[in-house]
C-alpha cells in the first residue's frame, strides 16, 4: 500500500530486524522503515571502525543495538552498547556512531509535528 507508514517489511508477518540489513566490509548499510513528518525509523548494519561522524538530529533520537557492539558518542561522551542496549540523544545533541565490532542497530528519531 502506498499509504503505509512503516515500509520495506511485510505487515502482519514476523521478521527479525537483524535480517533486514546485511553487514559488508568497510560499509554502513541502512534500510528506512518509516519516514514521516514526526518519525523516522532506520535499521543500520555498520562494520567495525565504520560509522557516522558527529551530527545532530532535529528530534529526540533512540538507538537500540540489535547485535554486536557499537560506540555512540553523545556530547563528547563515548558509550559502548551491546545487543539489547539503548541510548536516547536529545534533539540537537551532537552525536556520532562507530562500530567497535561489526554491529546492527535501529534508530528512531521523533520530531515535533508543526
Amino acid at each position: 500500500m502506498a499509504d503505509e507508514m512503516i515500509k520495506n517489511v511485510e505487515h502482519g508477518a514476523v521478521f527479525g530486524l537483524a535480517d533486514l540489513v546485511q553487514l559488508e566490509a568497510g560499509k554502513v548499510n541502512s534500510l528506512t522503515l518509516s519516514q514521516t513528518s514526526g518519525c523516522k525509523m532506520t535499521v543500520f548494519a555498520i562494520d567495525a571502525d565504520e560509522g557516522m561522524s558527529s551530527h545532530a538530529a532535529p528530534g529526540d533520537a533512540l538507538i537500540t543495538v540489535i547485535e554486536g557492539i557499537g560506540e555512540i558518542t553523545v556530547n563528547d561522551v563515548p558509550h559502548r552498547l551491546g545487543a539489547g542496549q539503548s541510548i536516547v540523544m536529545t534533539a540537537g545533541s551532537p552525536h556520532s556512531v562507530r562500530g567497535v565490532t561489526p554491529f546492527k542497530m535501529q534508530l528512531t528519531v521523533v520530531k515535533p509535528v508543526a
Side-chain angles (χ1 to χ4, degrees):
M1 278 184 136
D3 61 348
E4 290 178 338
M5 289 182 274
I6 296 179
K7 59 187 180 177
N8 295 320
V9 294
E10 183 180 346
H11 288 212
V14 176
F15 63 92
L17 286 174
D19 299 330
L20 297 178
V21 288
Q22 300 307 310
L23 287 161
E24 289 186 64
K27 290 191 173 187
V28 174
N29 289 329
S30 66
L31 177 70
T32 298
L33 299 179
S34 182
Q35 188 162 0
T36 67
S37 59
C39 181
K40 181 175 182 182
M41 290 191 313
T42 309
V43 180
F44 290 89
I46 301 172
D47 196 17
D49 293 321
E50 296 296 329
M52 293 166 265
S53 59
S54 186
H55 61 284
D60 289 352
L62 166 69
I63 289 177
T64 300
V65 174
I66 301 166
E67 64 181 39
I69 300 171
E71 182 177 81
I72 317 302
T73 300
V74 183
N75 294 319
D76 296 321
V77 179
H79 305 274
R80 280 195 178 202
L81 282 74
Q85 293 184 306
S86 302
I87 191 166
V88 173
M89 288 84 61
T90 304
S93 296
H95 59 277
S96 61
V97 176
R98 182 183 70 84
V100 175
T101 68
F103 84 112
K104 295 181 181 181
M105 66 176 218
Q106 180 186 357
L107 169 68
T108 303
V109 179
V110 181
K111 302 178 283 185
V113 179

